[in-house]
Amino acid sequence: MVKASERKDFMARLAAAHPDPESELNWTTPYELLVAVVLSAQATDKGVNIATAKLFPVANTPEAIVKLGVEGLTPYVKTIGLYRNKAKNVVALSEMLLEKYGGEVPDDFDALTSLPGVGRKTANVVLNVAFRRPTMPVDTHVFRVANRTKFAPGKTPDEVEALLLKRVPAEFALHAHHYLLLHGRYCCKARSPECELCPVADYCSAPEKKARLKDLVPSA
């Protein structure tokens, strides 16, 4: 367990490893970000960026997406997992944005989660990245790092999110989820964590760390 007295240093080390982090999804407007995040569920940011690089020059507003319709949108997103359902959700949320919000992406959690295909994590990402709110989206990387290090252990993403909101020092709150996400994506990996390079390794007592470091010790 990372002690209360250690939390500031823990986050400061992750922040130093990834100063001024940004979303790795490509976007220029809150609407583009919303679409990209919806498409990114169970898909890679790289794969989504390849798809949106072709889609957004053609349609990057609710009006344009609705005009495309599901049939017209599908060819642009068919390389992404679960693309059929995602195409339906993107068109449906675009229709709702036009009907209820004047075509603008709302900066309100409840309004965002009322949109088709938009869950808690997606809403939190949009609020954090587009509207600079100190939210704590919990994806698989954040969930893994929070549990492995016991900085904010929980059985569900919601439990982890609640603990992160309580435990992350205020000065790190805006970028905290990116610090954790990027650490999980590039260092504290699921299968082969690079514990020897980890800036917070001394705070971690995960079995994976012990096994990794043991394997790196040269045999006599």
Side-chain angles (χ1 to χ4, degrees):
M1 182 75 70
V2 179
K3 300 174 184 177
S5 61
E6 299 170 334
R7 292 170 191 162
K8 184 174 181 178
D9 184 58
F10 181 96
M11 293 305 303
R13 294 188 195 185
L14 294 184
H18 297 283
D20 303 316
E22 296 181 356
S23 171
E24 294 187 337
L25 290 169
N26 294 333
W27 64 282
T28 58
T29 66
Y31 177 74
E32 285 187 355
L33 177 64
L34 175 60
V35 170
V37 178
V38 169
L39 293 175
S40 72
Q42 299 181 50
T44 65
D45 289 356
K46 182 179 179 180
V48 172
N49 288 339
I50 291 171
T52 56
K54 297 177 181 177
L55 171 64
F56 288 159
V58 174
N60 69 338
T61 65
E63 294 90 345
I65 290 291
V66 170
K67 187 175 180 180
L68 272 182
V70 175
E71 246 182 67
L73 176 59
T74 296
Y76 292 99
V77 300
K78 65 182 180 181
T79 56
I80 299 171
L82 307 174
Y83 71 90
R84 290 187 179 87
N85 195 49
K86 289 177 181 178
K88 292 176 184 176
N89 283 333
V90 168
V91 172
L93 72 83
S94 299
E95 291 172 340
M96 188 177 289
L97 287 176
L98 291 170
E99 292 168 6
K100 295 186 66 175
Y101 302 106
E104 299 294 324
V105 175
D107 59 349
D108 175 81
F109 180 84
D110 291 335
L112 284 167
T113 53
S114 73
L115 299 171
V118 178
R120 186 175 192 88
K121 188 197 80 172
T122 296
N124 277 331
V125 170
V126 172
L127 289 173
N128 180 262
V129 176
F131 298 110
R132 311 290 288 179
R133 303 284 182 80
T135 58
M136 295 290 174
V138 177
D139 70 352
T140 56
H141 301 298
V142 174
F143 186 81
R144 180 173 63 256
V145 172
N147 275 288
R148 266 187 182 165
T149 62
K150 293 185 169 57
F151 185 92
K155 294 180 180 179
T156 67
D158 287 359
E159 288 182 7
V160 170
E161 179 188 345
L163 268 183
L164 285 172
L165 288 169
K166 290 180 181 179
R167 294 183 176 181
V168 170
E171 61 263 46
F172 300 104
L174 180 61
H175 295 304
H177 102 271
H178 272 127
Y179 297 145
L180 294 162
L181 184 159
L182 294 171
H183 181 60
R185 180 174 288 168
Y186 296 113
C187 185
C188 191
K189 303 171 187 175
R191 293 184 179 179
S192 300
E194 298 180 358
C195 305
E196 68 279 11
L197 303 177
C198 177
V200 293
D202 52 325
Y203 288 129
C204 179
S205 59
E208 296 94 329
K209 172 192 165 185
K210 295 178 182 178
R212 171 75 174 183
L213 296 182
K214 182 180 179 181
D215 289 343
L216 291 174
V217 175
S219 57

